[in-house]
Each structure stands twice: as C-alpha cells, then as structure tokens.
C-alpha cells in the first residue's frame, strides 16, 4: 500500500495514478479530513469476493459443532 497526499494526486494525477500498477491501493492522506483509499474497480471487486468467501467459511465453521469429525472414508 502506497501513501501519498491528496495534493500529490491533484498536482500530478498521471504520475500518481501510474503508481496503481505497482500496488493494490493508494492511501491519500488529507490534512483536515478522513483519508481516502484509491484502487481499481477490478481490485475492489476481487476484495469483495474474497471477503464474501471468507465470511461464508467463517459462518460454516461457527455452525459446525466442536469435536472430532469423520474424515473421508470414515464413518460418522
């Protein structure tokens, strides 16, 4: 993750956006407000897919009762 100031984006937009080729996201630091995160739409979509899959796995793990579980080829 690369950190730059919002002023850098405003003053040198092409150079700043070119940095997205080498990093997943750019954090734009602002003096008087909350920082912003800049990424590509494709990367944002990938992040959402991973988050969704991880959430579904976690929910299933929480539903599974603790204790030994039969493995492949073993009776329950």
């Amino acid at each position: 993750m690369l950190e730059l100031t919002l002023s850098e984006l405003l003053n040198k937009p092409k150079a700043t956006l070119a940095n997205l080729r080498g990093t997943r996201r750019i954090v734009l630091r602002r003096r008087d407000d909350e920082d912003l995160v800049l990424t590509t739409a494709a990367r944002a979509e990938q992040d959402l897919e991973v988050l969704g899959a991880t959430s579904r796995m976690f929910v299933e793990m929480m539903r599974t009762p603790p204790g030994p579980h039969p493995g492949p080829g073993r009776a329950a």
Side-chain angles (χ1 to χ4, degrees):
M1 178 168 41
L2 180 63
E3 295 184 16
L4 300 170
T5 64
L6 182 60
S7 295
E8 289 175 274
L9 173 63
L10 297 173
N11 292 328
K12 299 177 185 175
K14 285 185 180 184
T16 302
L17 294 178
N19 287 306
L20 280 173
R21 290 189 203 108
T23 187
R24 289 193 62 81
R25 59 189 48 91
I26 296 173
V27 175
L28 297 173
R29 299 283 177 205
R30 299 193 295 174
R31 270 182 290 203
D32 300 327
D33 210 342
E34 189 173 358
D35 295 339
L36 302 174
V37 176
L38 185 64
T39 191
T40 64
R43 287 183 181 143
E45 183 65 32
Q46 288 172 348
D47 290 348
L48 288 174
E49 288 177 22
V50 169
L51 182 60
T54 302
S55 297
R56 287 188 297 278
M57 286 191 304
F58 180 74
V59 167
E60 283 304 313
M61 286 175 27
M62 296 308 294
R63 284 186 192 162
T64 305
H69 303 283
R74 298 191 317 208

